[in-house]
Amino acid sequence: MKRRAFLSGVGVAGATALAGCINDTSNQSDNTLTVATYSSFTGEDSAGNWLKSAFESENGDATVEFTTPENGVNQFIQRKSEGAPIDADLFVGLNTGELVRADEQLDDPLFAETDGEVDGAGSVKPALDFDPDGRVIPYDTGYISLVYDEGEVDAPETFDALLEPAYEDALIAQNAQQSDPGRAFLLWTIHEKGADGYLDYWQALDDNGVRILSDWEPAYNAYTNEEAPMVVSYSTDQVFYHGEGVDMSRHQVGFLNEQGYANPEGMAQFADADNPELARSFMSFVLGTEAQSEIATRNVQFPAVEGVEPGGDFGEYALEPPEPVTFGYDELAGNVDGWIEDWARQVVSN
Amino acid sequence: MWRRDGRLLPAGVAATLAALVVVFYYPVGSVLASAVHAGGRLTLAPLVSVVGDPFYHDLFAFTAYQALLSTVASVVVGLPGAYLISRFEFPGRQFLRSVTILPFVLPSIMVAVGFLAMFGRTGLLNDVLAVVGLGPVELTFTLELIVLAHAFYNAPLVTRLVTAAWESVDPARVETARTLGASPVRAFRDVTLPQLLPALLTASVLTFIFTFMSFPIVLALGGLDLATVEVWLFARVQNLDLTEAATLGAIETALSLGLIYVYLRFEATQLRAGGESRGRARTPLFAGWRSLVDPRRLALFAYAGAALVLFVGPLVSLVVESVTTPDGAFTLRYYEFLLAQQSSTAVGTTRPFPAVRNSLLFGAGALVLALPMGVVVSVVATRDSRGSRLAEALLTAPLAVSGIVLGLGMLRSLVFGTTLFGYRLTVTGPVAIVAAHAVAAYPFVSRNVTPALGSIDDRLVDAARALGADRSTALVDIELPLVVPALVAGAAFAFAISIGEFDSTVLLAEGVDSATMPVALERYTGNRSLGPNLGPATAMGTVLLAVTTVSFVLIDRVGGRWQ
């Protein structure tokens, strides 16, 4: 799940490159697939590790290696613009805003168009498909929603309701400049209030005491510590929390206006990949039914492929919004940076 | 002057400069250059647009305001501590002196967690206040809490530097003043205070610079409405608006460097004031029933109580969190998690024991490099030659550059690599980490050593030189043995900076194998195997706390033997 870990003191753009292979091209054999992704996608019990073992056992001599720079795709945008080698074949964990940024920053393409060459790409839910140029293929999605404590507040039902006195000092959101759910929530308000109206809406939210913390981790931690009874989070919250003796009233999911903002995660092959065929066969593998189900369960996100129903706890506790909304590539291109900066300046000036 | 010196000193200066160029000046320069360089030519446009933007006026003003408040708070909290440690004798004094360095090593995410657990709405403080019928206090996400956290980090710096100065105040001069009829207050004001002032100013200037460039604490404990320049700079970097980020970084660096230069000029005028000193006898803190009526001691006890809340409270809360479930029940599963990580075979797993080992190894390496570098800078600083203040300011520049600018520079120059003569050179791995830590740490060594070196009687060195010793020999044989306490203090700082360093470590670490304790801790905050939960990170934080406490007590004890 791409709740990018809150970075303590992370200088650079989030910075981390705990990446064994980034500068190590020497042992790059023909059958090594280097996958760049975010850190919680790898490690014990992760979707990444399941994919690695399953893909390797199905593909004889292929080896999957992960590289996890914590500034994510920025690392590769900067590498490309500085003329440094990319040293990875595939990027896993790209969202719409990041793709827009990559395209706006670079003259040469960072990713290759693979849509037609990946088996299963056609079965991805059309609503999640966010790249008009067929480079990025979605493999899962989260839905941004509110999580609230029903012992403290009534179910928050509409955006306008959040401005009422009943919700004074009640909501914790995240900084849209650096947090995925924070950005999604801001875009959701723009989706509802329009590019002309969202700043006024946020001014009213601010007047009603909304708090903007840096990222999902501190925001959720503050929510857990009862600093406020509502937090911007994911509709899969209960998958983590259900269990014996757990008070689920603290983990209610609220879909404002009956909606949830979809934040699809995609994968794309680097244009400079050393192993493009292997990258594409890995992408096909990720779209397979079993892989989709495992990714959903282990990454706690919804599958991207039609008709995949992960059972078990995920099937039982993950809530899907009645009406998913999201901005597509064309709506974000040329707009998203300005929207976010205007918003941030308004919040800082308050 | 130089030509009569031995080879050691010039070689030291050259090595220090070379290290600085590779891991500091070149990376930082490459970032700051983009503030004045666009489309292949020089331009002032980015600078003009930032300077002309009222939004930035407010941002810089707020940043300076909170830095000023933080500095005042740090002095108010740190100064009585220095008085207590330097003037009173009590059980555990030496231990207390050692662990004042501890806040430096604590990753800010842990401090933030500890602070929220201590001062939050449902925190320990409010629980205690509720028992006595007070409160609750609402401190979370306020400027007050940020200032308090800055005091947590910087008051110990004030305490350390001022304690060292206070201990070297010549008792004979105080007694002379007293025999001449000065009241204790008068003697303090006329004799002691002037000797404390340089240390106090050093600490204040450093605190101001650090809190001006504060980033993780503001990010973790404040909302976006309390953003500082550095928080905004970070957001610009994330958005890849590198020109604007570089411009903000350049302005910030210029302000900090200017402050350091002004301060160094002041320090230089104070250096010659010191003399030979054996220190004053300390008064016992506990003197039977009289302690309870002595207003001075009562005030100190009250201070100790407040300090416990501020310093020990968050740390205890942290340890408590590491053995408590979200529902408040006792649990060991976070430590079981650490063991499971240790035995995991999955790729990309950060294991705790290698992280502990790496932290200690890198810390030792940084200490070995930073001590000579710091001494070299101190020798330059204690010279009177023209331009040595400027040279010193430039050699102290790592203090003036924000972590984000340095990290970005390292990323672009060292991690991405540079093509030279057709080969792509990349500097990564443990050697680069140790070099980066040493560069971050040596200014602290020189800030400790310079005043001590400056107070050595010149005649001692002159005598040695007259007897045929070259400058390097005089330094090693005569001066360094006289400043051992300052060297030990510098060593502790170097070690602490290395242990707590995060930004460049994480950039330069080659794979999970060179992760350090703070890196492991950060990794565990993002691990969801136990649900959204800081438990694993608090367990790692507790390990970090234990390992570093033992290390500092050892450094101080071992160093103390040579005093």
Side-chain angles (χ1 to χ4, degrees), chain B residues 2 11 40 44 107 134 157 170 191 199 300 349 396 454 476 563:
Chain B
W2 287 107
L44 283 178
L134 291 170
L157 183 72
D170 192 344
V191 180
L300 281 175
T349 305
T396 312
V476 173
Q563 285 181 30

Side-chain angles (χ1 to χ4, degrees), chain A residues 237-258:
Chain A
D237 184 79
Q238 297 184 0
V239 180
F240 283 116
Y241 271 108
H242 74 276
E244 236 173 285
V246 176
D247 178 8
M248 294 302 272
S249 70
R250 291 270 295 136
H251 306 286
Q252 292 303 305
V253 172
F255 292 119
L256 295 173
N257 297 4
E258 302 277 292

